[in-house]
Amino acid sequence: MQISGGHIYDFGKWHDYTFDFQESSLVIIQGENEAGKSTLKAFLIYILFGMRTRELESYKPRTGGTPGGRLTLRLPGGQAVVERILDRHNGEAVCYIGSEQKDQQWLEDQLGGMDASVFRQVFTLDTESLVSLQLTEKEHLGQVLLDAGQTGSADVHKLEKKLQQELQQLFRPQGRKPRINAMLHTVSEQERLVQELADKEAAYQPDKEKLRATLEKTNELQNHKAELRAQIRVQKQVLQAIPWQKKASFAKEQLKQLAHVEGFPSEGFEQMQKIQYQLQTLEAQYHVHKKESALIQKDLVSTKEQLLKDDLYKELYELGARTDWTAVKKRIELLEEERDKLRNQLARVHLSYPYPEDFAWNSHMEEAPEEWRPLQEKMMILQAESKRIHQSIAEKRQEIDKMDHLQNRIHQSLLSEKEYRELHNKNDRKHRGNDLRKRTISPIILLVVFAGLLSGIGILTANWLLAGSGIFLLVGAGLNWRLGHQPGDHSESSSYISEKLTEQKELRVRWRQLEEQRHPLEIQLMELQQEQSEQVIRREYLEQQRAIQIEKCPFLTDVPLVYWEKAVHEWKAKEQLTEAQNRVRRELEEEQQRYTDSIDRLGDIMDVTIDARPEEIIEQAEYVIESQQKLRHAKEQLFEREQEIQRYLQELDKQLKPLQEQKAILLEEGGANDYHQFLHAAEQYRKRKQLLEELEHFHVQVRAILPDGKYRSEEVEYEQDRVEQVIAKLETEQEAVEEELDKCRQHAATLQVKLADLESDTTASAAYHELQRQKQVLTAAGRKWAVRKLAYDMLSQTKRTFQEERFPKVLREASSLFSQVADQYSGLALTEAGSLVVKDRYSRDIALGQLSRGTIEQLYLCMRLALSRHLGMQQSFPLLIDDAFSHTDIERRGRFLPILQAAADVQQIILFTWEEPAPEWTQQSKLLQLEKTQKTGSL
């Protein structure tokens, strides 16, 4: 099995992290401390085997998520993906093989029963085991290394030693200090004390047998007494049932007298009462509605006499009720106000230009502003551009004039060409003289150098003649140089010529710059003048377009083009106000005419005098309409009520007929001619029914007292005398039994007092309970000893079996690996005493205690690698090595590389290290580098 890669959802510091081993058998994961190497190793173990909750607490995600992820495994049967998330599937793994899903049991079958603890012991190498190895005493070092080679863990020796110590603390064949030995002695002493107390207890056994016999006789007497009481109770029940039997006989005699009403309907009385009640209610309602119907007919006649004709009422309603007189008056007032308002607005209208008589707003006038606006915009743009161009031409001419002025001033300061050449020639001659003087200085410099050399040599050689000659030459060179550089008038003239020449050069440069600046300005001026000519042409075109528009609208002749739209809108507004004023005036006249006609018609309908005011006519019309509406509404209600009463009377008649028929049938069944005879027969039937219920009650009472029902009413007198005699006999026998029972109780009490004195001593009971407690404690200690003894024997047997069968192969493999790493040693061997020793080149035995700590760690690594390789051939699991080479020097660490490469052919090896691996390691493996701050990403 190999790990190809995986993805961490959340685990410790890792979040959404993907890693890929690229199917490499040797993988190196490098990262500094706290980069997440140990967390990644724990993640691999968690996905494969899971973790306990307490162990998983330290790997809870820092981001607050749920621990989980997936691994891609290469198995003998193909590739599989194993996913495990804490809060899904109860924390169990889910496996995917293509589209097929497997459960936790399938994964355990693939792992061959391997669990996390065994995997850590056999297939995990880390610094913790090395630190534990360093803390081991030298005399136990060989045994620890042997255990590491046999089981993969150095803790076996500690476990074996711990079991041996606990067995010796629990029990020894010879000795009194171990815990079980002391318990055996205490139990023996307690058994002796209990036997002594048992001998004392045997003395009161005869009295105890007498007490037992007396108590048995007492129980027999109590049982006989209980039987007598039960018989007496039965006889008393029989005596109690006799009065109920007498009542039942009397009830039967009365039932014989009422046999003639046996055919009366069982529910006849209740049915007759129900029918009679319904008939009375319905008949009362029928008479009430008849009376109400007559009153309604009378009211309908009176209402019809007060109503107007339908056509007059309709016309009155249309004029009076459906006309909102207040709204009409309000409308008239509003029209008057609007008329005055429009009149005032028309008077306040101010026109920029006089209103032409030939102005008329038509469809052409609506579209004309759309044609005018482009002309207006072009005219406004043309005027703005003309103004801008005029200003630009003035600015350019002003700049050109300014440059002409500057050029005139510069021209006045410039020398003529002949004077400028003469000045330039003078400057050149001056420069040549300076160069000549510079060349004459060179011999003086040589003289100074020569004088310095002579003086230095004289001082060094203590030859003062040479030193003095050198100093004399130095003085001569200084005087010569001083005489050759006397200041004069030629320096001042040279400076003036240079300044004058520089000034003329600057003026000439400035003149050329002004010429260069003047040329673009002249070009720009010509362009502006050309644009001005083009504007004149455009202005003529716009004037032609304006003339065309004036032909269409002659009334715009005296109005400038820019204000055409404004003037037209003002004229249109005045025209609209005039039209609105005429429309409001016409509408007002129409409203006033309609109001007058409506008032006159209302007066004609109601026959009102001509002198009445409109308000009075309207008020009277509203009153008449309201009265007529009430009368018509009352008429409709009365008519509807009349129809409703007629329908109700028909329904009552339908309900009365079935009830009357049912009443006649009941009278016929009860053998009565009228209702009173039927009631009398019902009363007789009720009495008979009550007697039957009483008779049944009497029988129930008798059956409750005497369930067998063997007594009959014909034997009542004889049975009562016999029962009283039996009760008297049983009570006499009961008294005799009670006397004998009292005697037995007194005898038993005497014996109990005698025995209580012996039993009041609780020493025997306490000793017995203490003996039982000690036996229980001894049993528990024995179980504990047996469990540890069994574990010790199984561990020893397992070690012997592995040592005899498999350990020689592991030892040979470890010996070969160790000789490759430490070449000064030839291998490993076991002594006759079973101790592990190291063989040097000369086959001498070297105890492990004589080796250095680093060599011991390397030997431990070789033992673990050999065990892992041996087990990996049977069942291949990845080998996880975590910083196991940190104490190994560079040379021996390099020797481990071919060992790991060879082991990688059998099983996958994943190496975790904080050091940067050497190039030869990275060339033969897959390298993954972890960063401290790395939390998400992909490698």
Side-chain angles (χ1 to χ4, degrees), residues 280-292:
Q280 289 176 358
T281 305
L282 294 174
E283 288 173 354
Q285 293 178 0
Y286 188 83
H287 292 299
V288 169
H289 285 90
K290 274 288 185 182
K291 186 176 179 181
E292 185 179 359

Side-chain angles (χ1 to χ4, degrees), residues 375-419:
L375 292 176
Q376 293 173 352
E377 291 175 359
K378 291 178 181 179
M379 182 62 74
M380 293 174 66
I381 292 171
L382 186 61
Q383 291 176 357
E385 289 180 354
S386 298
K387 184 177 180 180
R388 179 183 61 79
I389 292 172
H390 182 73
Q391 292 177 354
S392 299
I393 290 173
E395 290 174 356
K396 297 300 179 183
R397 286 177 176 172
Q398 186 177 0
E399 290 179 3
I400 291 172
D401 295 340
K402 184 177 179 181
M403 287 182 181
D404 291 340
H405 178 69
L406 289 174
Q407 283 182 338
N408 291 331
R409 290 179 58 187
I410 292 171
H411 184 71
Q412 293 175 2
S413 301
L414 282 174
L415 296 176
S416 63
E417 191 65 25
K418 182 180 179 180
E419 293 176 349

Side-chain angles (χ1 to χ4, degrees), residues 435-686:
D435 293 338
L436 183 61
R437 283 192 295 273
K438 289 179 181 179
R439 284 194 295 270
T440 58
I441 292 176
S442 297
I444 297 172
I445 293 173
L446 293 175
L447 184 62
V448 169
V449 171
F450 182 70
L453 288 173
L454 289 176
S455 300
I457 292 171
I459 293 171
L460 291 174
T461 59
N463 190 344
W464 301 112
L465 180 61
L466 290 175
S469 300
I471 293 171
F472 178 76
L473 290 173
L474 284 173
V475 173
L479 291 174
N480 187 12
W481 181 83
R482 180 65 179 171
L483 292 173
H485 287 79
Q486 290 293 330
D489 295 336
H490 64 278
S491 62
E492 294 180 1
S493 61
S494 177
S495 174
Y496 171 76
I497 292 170
S498 298
E499 291 176 358
K500 189 68 174 177
L501 187 61
T502 302
E503 180 184 356
Q504 288 297 314
K505 288 181 179 180
E506 290 178 355
L507 289 174
R508 290 176 182 274
V509 170
R510 180 59 179 162
W511 174 273
R512 285 193 296 271
Q513 290 177 351
L514 289 173
E515 283 293 332
E516 292 175 357
Q517 292 176 4
R518 177 188 179 89
H519 182 67
L521 289 175
E522 289 177 348
I523 294 172
Q524 292 175 6
L525 180 61
M526 292 174 63
E527 291 176 353
L528 290 172
Q529 290 174 350
Q530 186 177 359
E531 288 181 7
Q532 191 174 23
S533 302
E534 292 175 356
Q535 284 182 355
V536 172
I537 298 171
R538 287 163 58 192
R539 183 181 297 276
E540 292 176 355
Y541 173 75
L542 291 176
E543 289 295 337
Q544 293 175 0
Q545 295 295 323
R546 178 176 177 277
I548 294 170
Q549 293 296 330
I550 288 175
E551 289 179 1
K552 296 179 182 179
C553 304
F555 48 82
L556 294 174
T557 304
D558 299 331
V559 181
L561 175 62
V562 179
Y563 300 106
W564 280 4
E565 190 172 355
K566 178 181 177 183
V568 168
H569 282 298
E570 290 178 356
W571 297 339
K572 178 183 176 182
K574 181 178 180 181
E575 186 177 5
Q576 289 175 349
L577 286 174
T578 304
E579 291 178 356
Q581 184 181 11
N582 296 332
R583 178 180 51 79
V584 169
R585 185 174 64 253
R586 290 193 300 270
E587 189 176 353
L588 177 60
E589 291 174 355
E590 292 174 359
E591 287 290 336
Q592 289 175 347
Q593 185 64 36
R594 281 197 296 269
Y595 180 73
T596 304
D597 294 343
S598 298
I599 295 297
D600 294 341
R601 182 55 184 161
L602 286 176
D604 295 340
I605 293 171
M606 296 183 297
D607 196 14
V608 182
T609 59
I610 300 175
D611 298 334
R613 292 182 302 149
E615 291 79 3
E616 294 176 354
I617 294 173
I618 293 171
E619 183 179 357
Q620 188 174 355
E622 291 175 351
Y623 173 75
V624 171
I625 290 170
E626 184 178 0
S627 301
Q628 288 295 315
Q629 286 178 344
K630 289 179 179 179
L631 288 171
R632 290 177 181 275
H633 183 63
K635 177 185 174 182
E636 292 175 357
Q637 288 182 340
L638 290 172
F639 184 72
E640 291 175 357
R641 181 59 180 164
E642 173 64 20
Q643 291 180 345
E644 184 178 354
I645 289 172
Q646 292 301 326
R647 288 194 301 270
Y648 199 68
L649 288 173
Q650 292 176 2
E651 292 177 359
L652 289 175
D653 189 48
K654 290 179 182 179
Q655 295 176 8
L656 283 171
K657 286 181 180 180
L659 292 173
Q660 290 172 355
E661 292 174 358
Q662 293 176 11
K663 181 178 180 181
I665 293 170
L666 283 175
L667 289 175
E668 183 179 355
E669 290 177 354
N673 297 325
D674 56 9
Y675 179 66
H676 296 291
Q677 290 182 3
F678 186 84
L679 291 179
H680 179 69
E683 181 65 21
Q684 294 294 323
Y685 180 77
R686 186 189 62 77

